[in-house]
Coordinates of all heavy atoms in Angstrom, one line a residue:
Y1 N -29.5 -15.7 -51.4 CA -28.3 -16.2 -51.0 C -27.9 -17.5 -51.6 O -26.8 -17.8 -51.8 CB -28.2 -16.3 -49.5 CG -28.3 -14.9 -48.8 CD1 -29.5 -14.5 -48.2 CD2 -27.3 -14.0 -48.9 CE1 -29.6 -13.3 -47.6 CE2 -27.4 -12.7 -48.3 CZ -28.6 -12.4 -47.6 OH -28.8 -11.2 -47.0
N2 N -28.9 -18.4 -51.7 CA -28.7 -19.7 -52.3 C -30.0 -20.2 -52.9 O -31.1 -19.6 -52.8 CB -28.1 -20.7 -51.3 CG -29.1 -20.9 -50.1 OD1 -30.3 -21.1 -50.2 ND2 -28.5 -20.8 -48.9
G3 N -30.0 -21.4 -53.5 CA -31.1 -21.9 -54.2 C -32.3 -22.2 -53.3 O -33.5 -22.0 -53.6
E4 N -32.0 -22.8 -52.1 CA -33.1 -23.1 -51.2 C -33.9 -21.9 -50.7 O -35.1 -21.9 -50.6 CB -32.5 -23.8 -49.9 CG -32.1 -25.3 -50.2 CD -33.2 -26.2 -50.5 OE1 -34.4 -25.9 -50.2 OE2 -32.9 -27.3 -51.1
E5 N -33.1 -20.8 -50.5 CA -33.8 -19.5 -50.1 C -34.6 -19.0 -51.3 O -35.7 -18.4 -51.0 CB -32.7 -18.5 -49.6 CG -32.2 -18.9 -48.3 CD -31.3 -17.7 -47.7 OE1 -31.6 -16.6 -47.9 OE2 -30.4 -18.1 -46.9
A6 N -34.1 -19.1 -52.5 CA -34.9 -18.6 -53.6 C -36.2 -19.4 -53.8 O -37.2 -18.8 -54.0 CB -34.0 -18.8 -54.9
I7 N -36.1 -20.7 -53.6 CA -37.4 -21.5 -53.7 C -38.3 -21.1 -52.5 O -39.5 -20.9 -52.8 CB -37.0 -23.0 -53.6 CG1 -36.3 -23.4 -54.9 CG2 -38.3 -23.8 -53.4 CD1 -35.6 -24.7 -54.8
K8 N -37.8 -21.0 -51.3 CA -38.6 -20.6 -50.2 C -39.3 -19.2 -50.5 O -40.5 -19.0 -50.2 CB -37.8 -20.5 -48.9 CG -38.5 -20.2 -47.7 CD -37.6 -20.1 -46.5 CE -38.4 -19.6 -45.3 NZ -37.6 -19.4 -44.1
Y9 N -38.5 -18.3 -51.0 CA -39.0 -16.9 -51.3 C -40.2 -17.0 -52.3 O -41.2 -16.4 -52.1 CB -37.9 -16.0 -51.8 CG -38.4 -14.6 -51.9 CD1 -38.3 -13.7 -50.9 CD2 -38.9 -14.1 -53.2 CE1 -38.8 -12.4 -51.0 CE2 -39.4 -12.8 -53.3 CZ -39.3 -12.0 -52.2 OH -39.8 -10.7 -52.4
C10 N -40.0 -17.8 -53.3 CA -41.0 -18.0 -54.3 C -42.3 -18.5 -53.7 O -43.4 -18.1 -54.0 CB -40.6 -18.8 -55.5 SG -39.4 -18.1 -56.5
N11 N -42.1 -19.5 -52.8 CA -43.3 -20.1 -52.2 C -44.0 -19.2 -51.2 O -45.2 -19.5 -51.0 CB -42.8 -21.5 -51.5 CG -42.5 -22.5 -52.6 OD1 -42.9 -22.5 -53.7 ND2 -41.6 -23.4 -52.1
E12 N -43.3 -18.3 -50.7 CA -43.9 -17.4 -49.7 C -44.5 -16.1 -50.3 O -45.1 -15.3 -49.6 CB -42.9 -17.1 -48.6 CG -42.5 -18.3 -47.8 CD -41.4 -18.0 -46.8 OE1 -40.8 -16.9 -46.8 OE2 -41.2 -18.9 -45.9
N13 N -44.2 -15.8 -51.6 CA -44.6 -14.6 -52.2 C -45.3 -14.9 -53.5 O -44.7 -15.4 -54.5 CB -43.4 -13.7 -52.5 CG -42.7 -13.3 -51.2 OD1 -43.2 -12.3 -50.6 ND2 -41.6 -14.0 -50.8
N14 N -46.5 -14.5 -53.6 CA -47.3 -14.8 -54.8 C -47.4 -13.6 -55.8 O -48.2 -13.6 -56.7 CB -48.7 -15.3 -54.5 CG -49.5 -14.3 -53.7 OD1 -49.0 -13.2 -53.4 ND2 -50.8 -14.6 -53.4
N15 N -46.6 -12.6 -55.6 CA -46.6 -11.5 -56.4 C -45.3 -11.3 -57.2 O -44.9 -10.2 -57.5 CB -46.9 -10.2 -55.6 CG -45.9 -9.9 -54.5 OD1 -45.1 -10.8 -54.2 ND2 -45.9 -8.8 -53.9
I16 N -44.7 -12.4 -57.6 CA -43.4 -12.3 -58.4 C -43.8 -12.3 -59.8 O -44.5 -13.1 -60.3 CB -42.5 -13.5 -58.0 CG1 -42.2 -13.5 -56.5 CG2 -41.3 -13.5 -58.9 CD1 -41.5 -14.8 -56.1
D17 N -43.2 -11.3 -60.5 CA -43.5 -11.1 -61.9 C -42.3 -11.7 -62.8 O -42.6 -12.0 -64.0 CB -43.6 -9.6 -62.3 CG -44.9 -9.0 -61.7 OD1 -45.9 -9.7 -61.6 OD2 -44.8 -7.9 -61.1
L18 N -41.1 -11.7 -62.2 CA -40.0 -12.2 -63.0 C -38.9 -12.6 -62.0 O -38.8 -12.0 -61.0 CB -39.5 -11.0 -63.9 CG -38.3 -11.3 -64.8 CD1 -38.6 -10.7 -66.2 CD2 -37.0 -10.7 -64.3
I19 N -38.1 -13.6 -62.4 CA -36.9 -14.0 -61.6 C -35.6 -13.8 -62.3 O -35.5 -14.3 -63.5 CB -37.1 -15.5 -61.2 CG1 -38.4 -15.7 -60.3 CG2 -35.9 -16.0 -60.5 CD1 -38.7 -17.1 -60.1
L20 N -34.7 -13.2 -61.7 CA -33.3 -13.1 -62.3 C -32.5 -14.2 -61.5 O -32.4 -14.1 -60.3 CB -32.7 -11.8 -62.0 CG -33.3 -10.6 -62.8 CD1 -32.6 -9.3 -62.3 CD2 -33.2 -10.8 -64.2
M21 N -32.1 -15.2 -62.2 CA -31.4 -16.4 -61.6 C -30.0 -16.5 -61.9 O -29.5 -16.6 -63.0 CB -32.1 -17.7 -62.2 CG -31.5 -19.0 -61.6 SD -31.8 -19.2 -59.8 CE -33.6 -19.3 -59.7
D22 N -29.2 -16.3 -60.8 CA -27.8 -16.5 -60.9 C -27.5 -18.0 -61.0 O -28.1 -18.8 -60.2 CB -27.0 -16.0 -59.7 CG -25.5 -15.9 -59.8 OD1 -25.0 -16.5 -60.8 OD2 -24.9 -15.3 -58.9
I23 N -26.7 -18.4 -62.0 CA -26.5 -19.9 -62.2 C -25.5 -20.4 -61.2 O -25.6 -21.6 -60.7 CB -26.0 -20.1 -63.6 CG1 -27.2 -19.8 -64.6 CG2 -25.6 -21.6 -63.8 CD1 -28.5 -20.6 -64.4
Q24 N -24.6 -19.6 -60.7 CA -23.6 -20.1 -59.8 C -23.9 -19.8 -58.3 O -23.2 -19.1 -57.6 CB -22.2 -19.5 -60.1 CG -21.7 -20.1 -61.5 CD -20.3 -19.6 -61.8 OE1 -20.1 -18.4 -61.8 NE2 -19.4 -20.5 -62.1
L25 N -25.0 -20.4 -57.8 CA -25.4 -20.2 -56.5 C -24.7 -21.2 -55.6 O -24.4 -22.4 -56.1 CB -26.9 -20.4 -56.4 CG -27.8 -19.4 -57.0 CD1 -29.3 -19.9 -57.0 CD2 -27.7 -18.1 -56.3
P26 N -24.5 -20.9 -54.3 CA -23.9 -21.9 -53.4 C -24.9 -23.0 -53.1 O -26.1 -22.8 -53.1 CB -23.5 -21.1 -52.2 CG -24.4 -19.9 -52.2 CD -24.6 -19.6 -53.7
D27 N -24.5 -24.1 -52.7 CA -25.3 -25.3 -52.3 C -26.1 -25.9 -53.4 O -25.9 -27.1 -53.7 CB -26.2 -24.9 -51.1 CG -25.4 -24.4 -49.9 OD1 -24.3 -24.9 -49.7 OD2 -25.9 -23.6 -49.2
M28 N -27.0 -25.2 -54.0 CA -27.8 -25.7 -55.1 C -27.7 -24.7 -56.2 O -28.0 -23.6 -56.1 CB -29.3 -25.8 -54.7 CG -30.2 -26.3 -55.8 SD -32.0 -26.2 -55.3 CE -32.1 -26.8 -53.7
D29 N -27.1 -25.2 -57.4 CA -26.9 -24.2 -58.5 C -28.2 -23.7 -59.1 O -29.3 -24.2 -58.8 CB -26.0 -24.8 -59.5 CG -26.6 -26.0 -60.3 OD1 -27.8 -26.1 -60.4 OD2 -25.8 -26.8 -60.8
G30 N -28.1 -22.7 -60.0 CA -29.2 -22.1 -60.6 C -30.0 -23.0 -61.5 O -31.2 -22.9 -61.7
Y31 N -29.4 -24.0 -62.0 CA -30.1 -24.9 -62.9 C -31.0 -25.8 -62.1 O -32.2 -25.9 -62.4 CB -29.1 -25.9 -63.6 CG -28.0 -25.3 -64.4 CD1 -26.7 -25.4 -64.1 CD2 -28.3 -24.6 -65.6 CE1 -25.7 -24.9 -64.8 CE2 -27.3 -24.0 -66.3 CZ -26.0 -24.2 -66.0 OH -25.0 -23.6 -66.8
E32 N -30.6 -26.3 -61.0 CA -31.5 -27.1 -60.1 C -32.5 -26.3 -59.5 O -33.7 -26.7 -59.3 CB -30.6 -27.9 -59.1 CG -31.5 -28.8 -58.2 CD -30.7 -29.6 -57.2 OE1 -29.4 -29.5 -57.2 OE2 -31.3 -30.3 -56.4
T33 N -32.1 -25.1 -59.0 CA -33.1 -24.2 -58.4 C -34.2 -23.8 -59.4 O -35.4 -23.9 -59.0 CB -32.4 -22.9 -57.9 OG1 -31.3 -23.2 -57.0 CG2 -33.4 -21.9 -57.3
T34 N -33.9 -23.5 -60.6 CA -34.8 -23.2 -61.7 C -35.8 -24.4 -61.9 O -37.0 -24.2 -62.0 CB -34.1 -22.8 -63.0 OG1 -33.4 -21.6 -62.7 CG2 -35.2 -22.6 -64.1
S35 N -35.2 -25.6 -62.0 CA -36.0 -26.8 -62.2 C -37.0 -27.0 -61.1 O -38.2 -27.3 -61.4 CB -35.1 -28.0 -62.3 OG -34.3 -27.9 -63.5
K36 N -36.6 -26.7 -59.9 CA -37.5 -26.9 -58.7 C -38.6 -25.8 -58.7 O -39.8 -26.1 -58.4 CB -36.7 -27.0 -57.5 CG -36.0 -28.2 -57.3 CD -35.3 -28.4 -56.0 CE -34.6 -29.7 -55.9 NZ -34.2 -30.0 -54.6
I37 N -38.2 -24.6 -59.1 CA -39.2 -23.5 -59.1 C -40.2 -23.8 -60.2 O -41.4 -23.6 -60.0 CB -38.5 -22.2 -59.4 CG1 -37.7 -21.7 -58.1 CG2 -39.5 -21.1 -59.7 CD1 -36.9 -20.5 -58.3
R38 N -39.8 -24.3 -61.3 CA -40.7 -24.6 -62.4 C -41.7 -25.7 -62.1 O -42.8 -25.8 -62.7 CB -39.9 -25.1 -63.6 CG -39.3 -24.0 -64.4 CD -40.4 -23.3 -65.2 NE -39.8 -22.2 -66.0 CZ -40.2 -20.9 -65.8 NH1 -41.2 -20.6 -65.0 NH2 -39.6 -20.0 -66.5
L39 N -41.5 -26.5 -61.1 CA -42.5 -27.5 -60.7 C -43.8 -26.9 -60.2 O -44.9 -27.4 -60.4 CB -41.9 -28.4 -59.6 CG -40.7 -29.3 -60.0 CD1 -40.2 -30.0 -58.8 CD2 -41.1 -30.3 -61.1
T40 N -43.6 -25.7 -59.7 CA -44.8 -25.0 -59.1 C -45.2 -23.8 -60.0 O -46.4 -23.5 -60.2 CB -44.5 -24.5 -57.7 OG1 -44.1 -25.6 -56.9 CG2 -45.7 -23.8 -57.1
Y41 N -44.2 -23.1 -60.5 CA -44.4 -21.8 -61.2 C -44.1 -22.0 -62.6 O -42.9 -21.8 -63.1 CB -43.7 -20.7 -60.6 CG -44.0 -20.5 -59.1 CD1 -43.2 -21.1 -58.1 CD2 -45.2 -19.9 -58.7 CE1 -43.5 -21.0 -56.8 CE2 -45.5 -19.8 -57.4 CZ -44.7 -20.4 -56.4 OH -45.0 -20.2 -55.1
K42 N -45.0 -22.4 -63.5 CA -44.8 -22.7 -64.9 C -44.6 -21.4 -65.8 O -44.0 -21.5 -66.8 CB -45.9 -23.5 -65.4 CG -46.3 -24.7 -64.6 CD -45.5 -25.9 -65.0 CE -46.0 -27.1 -64.3 NZ -45.0 -27.9 -63.6
N43 N -45.2 -20.3 -65.3 CA -45.3 -19.2 -66.2 C -44.5 -17.9 -65.9 O -44.5 -17.0 -66.6 CB -46.8 -18.8 -66.4 CG -47.6 -19.9 -67.0 OD1 -47.2 -20.5 -68.0 ND2 -48.8 -20.1 -66.5
I44 N -43.8 -18.0 -64.7 CA -43.0 -16.8 -64.4 C -41.8 -16.8 -65.2 O -41.0 -17.8 -65.3 CB -42.6 -16.9 -62.9 CG1 -43.8 -16.8 -61.9 CG2 -41.5 -15.8 -62.5 CD1 -43.4 -17.0 -60.5
P45 N -41.4 -15.7 -65.9 CA -40.2 -15.6 -66.7 C -39.0 -15.7 -65.8 O -39.0 -15.1 -64.7 CB -40.3 -14.2 -67.3 CG -41.7 -13.8 -67.3 CD -42.3 -14.5 -66.0
I46 N -38.1 -16.6 -66.1 CA -36.8 -16.7 -65.4 C -35.7 -16.5 -66.3 O -35.5 -17.1 -67.3 CB -36.7 -18.1 -64.8 CG1 -37.8 -18.5 -63.8 CG2 -35.4 -18.3 -64.0 CD1 -37.8 -19.9 -63.3
I47 N -34.9 -15.4 -66.0 CA -33.8 -15.0 -66.8 C -32.5 -15.5 -66.1 O -32.2 -15.0 -65.0 CB -33.8 -13.5 -67.1 CG1 -35.0 -13.1 -67.8 CG2 -32.5 -13.1 -67.9 CD1 -35.2 -11.6 -68.0
A48 N -31.7 -16.3 -66.8 CA -30.5 -16.8 -66.2 C -29.4 -15.7 -66.4 O -29.3 -15.1 -67.4 CB -30.0 -18.1 -66.9
Q49 N -28.6 -15.5 -65.3 CA -27.5 -14.6 -65.4 C -26.2 -15.5 -65.1 O -26.2 -16.1 -64.0 CB -27.6 -13.5 -64.3 CG -28.8 -12.7 -64.4 CD -28.9 -11.8 -63.3 OE1 -28.6 -10.6 -63.4 NE2 -29.3 -12.2 -62.1
T50 N -25.3 -15.5 -66.0 CA -24.1 -16.3 -65.8 C -22.9 -15.8 -66.5 O -23.0 -15.1 -67.5 CB -24.4 -17.8 -66.2 OG1 -23.3 -18.6 -66.0 CG2 -24.9 -17.9 -67.7
A51 N -21.8 -16.2 -66.0 CA -20.5 -15.9 -66.7 C -20.2 -16.9 -67.8 O -19.3 -16.7 -68.6 CB -19.4 -15.9 -65.6
H52 N -20.9 -18.0 -67.8 CA -20.8 -19.0 -68.8 C -21.4 -18.4 -70.1 O -22.6 -18.3 -70.2 CB -21.4 -20.3 -68.4 CG -20.9 -20.8 -67.1 ND1 -19.9 -21.8 -67.1 CD2 -21.1 -20.5 -65.8 CE1 -19.6 -22.1 -65.8 NE2 -20.3 -21.2 -65.1
A53 N -20.6 -18.2 -71.1 CA -21.1 -17.5 -72.3 C -21.1 -18.3 -73.6 O -21.2 -17.7 -74.7 CB -20.3 -16.2 -72.5
M54 N -20.9 -19.6 -73.5 CA -20.9 -20.4 -74.7 C -22.3 -20.7 -75.1 O -23.2 -20.7 -74.3 CB -20.1 -21.7 -74.5 CG -18.7 -21.4 -74.0 SD -17.7 -20.5 -75.2 CE -17.4 -21.7 -76.4
K55 N -22.5 -21.1 -76.4 CA -23.8 -21.4 -77.0 C -24.5 -22.5 -76.1 O -25.6 -22.5 -75.8 CB -23.7 -21.8 -78.4 CG -25.0 -22.1 -79.1 CD -24.9 -22.4 -80.5 CE -26.2 -22.6 -81.2 NZ -26.1 -22.9 -82.6
E56 N -23.7 -23.5 -75.8 CA -24.2 -24.7 -75.1 C -24.6 -24.3 -73.6 O -25.5 -24.9 -73.0 CB -23.3 -25.9 -75.0 CG -21.9 -25.6 -74.4 CD -20.8 -25.1 -75.5 OE1 -21.2 -24.7 -76.6 OE2 -19.7 -25.0 -75.1
D57 N -24.0 -23.2 -73.1 CA -24.3 -22.8 -71.8 C -25.7 -22.1 -71.7 O -26.6 -22.4 -70.9 CB -23.4 -21.7 -71.2 CG -22.0 -22.3 -71.0 OD1 -21.9 -23.5 -70.5 OD2 -21.0 -21.7 -71.4
R58 N -26.0 -21.4 -72.8 CA -27.4 -20.8 -73.0 C -28.4 -22.0 -73.0 O -29.4 -21.9 -72.4 CB -27.4 -20.0 -74.2 CG -28.8 -19.4 -74.4 CD -28.9 -18.6 -75.7 NE -30.1 -17.7 -75.8 CZ -31.3 -18.2 -75.9 NH1 -31.6 -19.5 -76.0 NH2 -32.4 -17.4 -75.9
Q59 N -28.1 -23.0 -73.9 CA -29.0 -24.1 -74.0 C -29.3 -24.8 -72.7 O -30.4 -25.3 -72.4 CB -28.6 -25.0 -75.1 CG -29.6 -26.1 -75.5 CD -30.9 -25.5 -76.0 OE1 -30.9 -24.6 -76.8 NE2 -32.0 -25.9 -75.4
H60 N -28.2 -25.0 -71.9 CA -28.3 -25.7 -70.6 C -29.3 -24.9 -69.7 O -30.1 -25.5 -69.0 CB -26.9 -25.8 -70.0 CG -26.9 -26.7 -68.8 ND1 -25.7 -26.8 -68.0 CD2 -27.8 -27.5 -68.2 CE1 -26.0 -27.6 -67.0 NE2 -27.2 -28.1 -67.1
C61 N -29.2 -23.6 -69.7 CA -30.1 -22.7 -69.0 C -31.6 -22.9 -69.4 O -32.5 -23.1 -68.6 CB -29.8 -21.2 -69.1 SG -28.2 -20.8 -68.3
I62 N -31.8 -22.9 -70.7 CA -33.1 -23.1 -71.3 C -33.6 -24.5 -71.0 O -34.8 -24.7 -70.5 CB -33.1 -22.9 -72.8 CG1 -32.6 -21.5 -73.2 CG2 -34.5 -23.2 -73.4 CD1 -33.4 -20.3 -72.5
D63 N -32.8 -25.5 -71.0 CA -33.2 -26.9 -70.7 C -33.6 -27.0 -69.3 O -34.4 -27.9 -68.9 CB -32.0 -27.9 -71.1 CG -31.8 -28.0 -72.6 OD1 -32.7 -27.6 -73.4 OD2 -30.7 -28.6 -72.9
A64 N -32.9 -26.3 -68.4 CA -33.3 -26.3 -67.0 C -34.6 -25.6 -66.6 O -35.1 -25.7 -65.6 CB -32.1 -25.7 -66.2
G65 N -35.1 -24.8 -67.6 CA -36.4 -24.2 -67.4 C -36.3 -22.6 -67.5 O -37.4 -22.0 -67.3
C66 N -35.2 -22.1 -67.7 CA -35.1 -20.6 -67.8 C -35.8 -20.2 -69.1 O -35.7 -20.9 -70.1 CB -33.6 -20.2 -67.8 SG -32.8 -20.5 -66.3
T67 N -36.4 -19.1 -69.0 CA -37.1 -18.5 -70.2 C -36.1 -17.8 -71.1 O -36.2 -17.9 -72.3 CB -38.1 -17.4 -69.7 OG1 -38.9 -18.0 -68.6 CG2 -39.0 -17.0 -70.8
D68 N -35.0 -17.2 -70.5 CA -34.0 -16.5 -71.3 C -32.7 -16.5 -70.6 O -32.6 -17.1 -69.5 CB -34.5 -15.1 -71.7 CG -34.1 -14.6 -73.0 OD1 -33.0 -15.0 -73.5 OD2 -34.9 -14.0 -73.7
Y69 N -31.7 -15.8 -71.1 CA -30.4 -15.9 -70.7 C -29.7 -14.7 -71.0 O -29.9 -14.1 -72.1 CB -29.7 -17.1 -71.4 CG -28.3 -17.2 -71.5 CD1 -27.6 -18.0 -70.6 CD2 -27.5 -16.5 -72.5 CE1 -26.2 -18.1 -70.7 CE2 -26.2 -16.6 -72.6 CZ -25.5 -17.4 -71.7 OH -24.1 -17.5 -71.7
I70 N -28.8 -14.2 -70.1 CA -27.9 -13.1 -70.3 C -26.6 -13.4 -69.7 O -26.5 -13.9 -68.6 CB -28.5 -11.7 -69.8 CG1 -27.7 -10.6 -70.3 CG2 -28.6 -11.7 -68.3 CD1 -28.3 -9.2 -70.1
S71 N -25.5 -13.1 -70.5 CA -24.2 -13.5 -69.9 C -23.5 -12.3 -69.3 O -23.8 -11.1 -69.7 CB -23.3 -14.1 -71.0 OG -23.1 -13.2 -72.1
K72 N -22.6 -12.5 -68.4 CA -21.9 -11.5 -67.7 C -20.6 -11.2 -68.5 O -20.1 -12.1 -69.1 CB -21.5 -12.0 -66.2 CG -22.7 -12.2 -65.4 CD -22.2 -12.8 -64.0 CE -23.4 -13.1 -63.1 NZ -23.1 -13.6 -61.9
P73 N -20.1 -10.0 -68.5 CA -20.6 -8.9 -67.7 C -21.9 -8.4 -68.3 O -22.1 -8.4 -69.5 CB -19.5 -7.8 -67.8 CG -18.8 -8.2 -69.1 CD -18.9 -9.7 -69.3
I74 N -22.8 -8.0 -67.4 CA -24.2 -7.6 -67.8 C -24.2 -6.1 -68.0 O -23.8 -5.4 -67.1 CB -25.2 -8.1 -66.8 CG1 -25.2 -9.6 -66.7 CG2 -26.6 -7.5 -67.2 CD1 -26.1 -10.2 -65.6
H75 N -24.6 -5.7 -69.2 CA -24.8 -4.3 -69.5 C -26.2 -3.9 -69.2 O -27.2 -4.6 -69.6 CB -24.5 -4.1 -71.0 CG -23.1 -4.4 -71.4 ND1 -22.0 -3.7 -71.1 CD2 -22.6 -5.6 -72.0 CE1 -20.9 -4.3 -71.5 NE2 -21.3 -5.4 -72.0
S76 N -26.3 -2.9 -68.4 CA -27.7 -2.5 -67.8 C -28.7 -2.3 -68.9 O -29.9 -2.7 -68.8 CB -27.6 -1.3 -66.9 OG -27.1 -0.2 -67.6
D77 N -28.3 -1.6 -70.0 CA -29.3 -1.4 -71.1 C -29.8 -2.7 -71.7 O -31.0 -2.8 -72.0 CB -28.7 -0.5 -72.2 CG -27.5 -1.0 -72.8 OD1 -26.7 -1.7 -72.2 OD2 -27.3 -0.7 -74.0
K78 N -29.0 -3.7 -71.9 CA -29.4 -5.0 -72.4 C -30.3 -5.7 -71.4 O -31.3 -6.3 -71.8 CB -28.2 -5.9 -72.8 CG -27.5 -5.4 -74.0 CD -26.4 -6.3 -74.4 CE -25.6 -5.7 -75.6 NZ -24.5 -6.6 -76.0
L79 N -30.0 -5.7 -70.2 CA -30.8 -6.3 -69.1 C -32.1 -5.7 -69.0 O -33.2 -6.4 -69.0 CB -30.1 -6.3 -67.8 CG -30.8 -6.9 -66.6 CD1 -31.1 -8.4 -66.9 CD2 -30.0 -6.7 -65.3
I80 N -32.2 -4.3 -69.0 CA -33.5 -3.7 -68.9 C -34.3 -4.0 -70.1 O -35.6 -4.2 -70.0 CB -33.3 -2.1 -68.8 CG1 -32.7 -1.8 -67.4 CG2 -34.6 -1.4 -69.0 CD1 -32.2 -0.4 -67.2
K81 N -33.8 -4.0 -71.3 CA -34.5 -4.4 -72.5 C -35.1 -5.8 -72.4 O -36.2 -6.1 -72.8 CB -33.6 -4.2 -73.7 CG -34.3 -4.5 -75.0 CD -33.4 -4.2 -76.2 CE -34.1 -4.5 -77.5 NZ -33.3 -4.3 -78.7
L82 N -34.3 -6.7 -71.9 CA -34.7 -8.1 -71.8 C -35.8 -8.2 -70.8 O -36.8 -8.9 -71.0 CB -33.5 -8.9 -71.4 CG -33.7 -10.4 -71.3 CD1 -34.1 -11.0 -72.6 CD2 -32.4 -11.1 -70.8
I83 N -35.6 -7.6 -69.6 CA -36.7 -7.6 -68.6 C -38.0 -7.0 -69.2 O -39.1 -7.6 -69.0 CB -36.3 -6.8 -67.3 CG1 -35.2 -7.6 -66.6 CG2 -37.5 -6.5 -66.4 CD1 -34.5 -6.8 -65.5
N84 N -37.9 -5.9 -69.8 CA -39.1 -5.2 -70.4 C -39.8 -6.1 -71.4 O -41.0 -6.0 -71.6 CB -38.8 -3.9 -71.0 CG -38.5 -2.8 -70.0 OD1 -39.1 -2.9 -68.8 ND2 -37.8 -1.8 -70.3
S85 N -39.1 -7.0 -72.1 CA -39.7 -7.9 -73.1 C -40.6 -8.9 -72.4 O -41.4 -9.5 -73.1 CB -38.6 -8.5 -74.0 OG -37.9 -9.5 -73.3
Y86 N -40.5 -9.1 -71.1 CA -41.3 -10.1 -70.4 C -42.3 -9.5 -69.5 O -43.1 -10.3 -68.9 CB -40.3 -11.1 -69.6 CG -39.6 -12.0 -70.5 CD1 -38.2 -11.7 -70.8 CD2 -40.2 -13.1 -71.2 CE1 -37.5 -12.6 -71.7 CE2 -39.5 -13.9 -72.0 CZ -38.2 -13.6 -72.3 OH -37.5 -14.4 -73.2
L87 N -42.2 -8.3 -69.3 CA -43.2 -7.7 -68.3 C -44.3 -6.9 -69.1 O -44.2 -6.6 -70.2 CB -42.5 -6.7 -67.4 CG -41.5 -7.4 -66.4 CD1 -40.8 -6.3 -65.5 CD2 -42.2 -8.4 -65.6

């Protein structure tokens, strides 16, 4: 539902293989949420999902700690291919 819940979920579950991160979360955006998750979980792939589709938006996601990026509208075949590349 929001960034705080995502962080809490990560801290309570040690069997996470990959995170799909919405960048436009309420209260704490996906950039800050990702940065905080990265403090503890250095190696979990985090794929940003966002409607922001400019080149600099992708870089902002990577700079925040995301492993990769996919822009909306998300095509399921591209998302599955991206997920499979990290699992």
Side-chain angles (χ1 to χ4, degrees):
Y1 299 104
N2 61 48
E4 288 292 338
E5 286 188 34
I7 293 166
K8 181 180 176 188
Y9 186 87
C10 287
N11 290 334
E12 293 175 352
N13 296 278
N14 61 357
N15 60 347
I16 298 171
D17 295 318
L18 183 136
I19 297 170
L20 296 175
M21 180 62 67
D22 189 351
I23 294 301
Q24 294 183 306
L25 293 171
D27 300 327
M28 179 189 312
D29 66 27
Y31 302 116
E32 185 177 355
T33 303
T34 296
S35 294
K36 288 186 176 191
I37 290 171
R38 279 286 177 237
L39 294 174
T40 305
Y41 304 96
K42 309 274 189 229
N43 298 318
I44 294 175
I46 301 176
I47 300 173
Q49 302 175 100
T50 181
H52 302 259
M54 303 300 286
K55 183 178 181 180
E56 58 271 11
D57 296 318
R58 180 185 194 288
Q59 190 59 50
H60 192 185
C61 292
I62 301 302
D63 291 344
C66 292
T67 311
D68 217 322
Y69 160 98
I70 190 167
S71 62
K72 297 176 183 177
I74 296 172
H75 300 281
S76 60
D77 57 328
K78 289 182 181 180
L79 179 59
I80 290 168
K81 184 177 179 180
L82 186 58
I83 289 170
N84 285 333
S85 72
Y86 290 101
L87 297 179

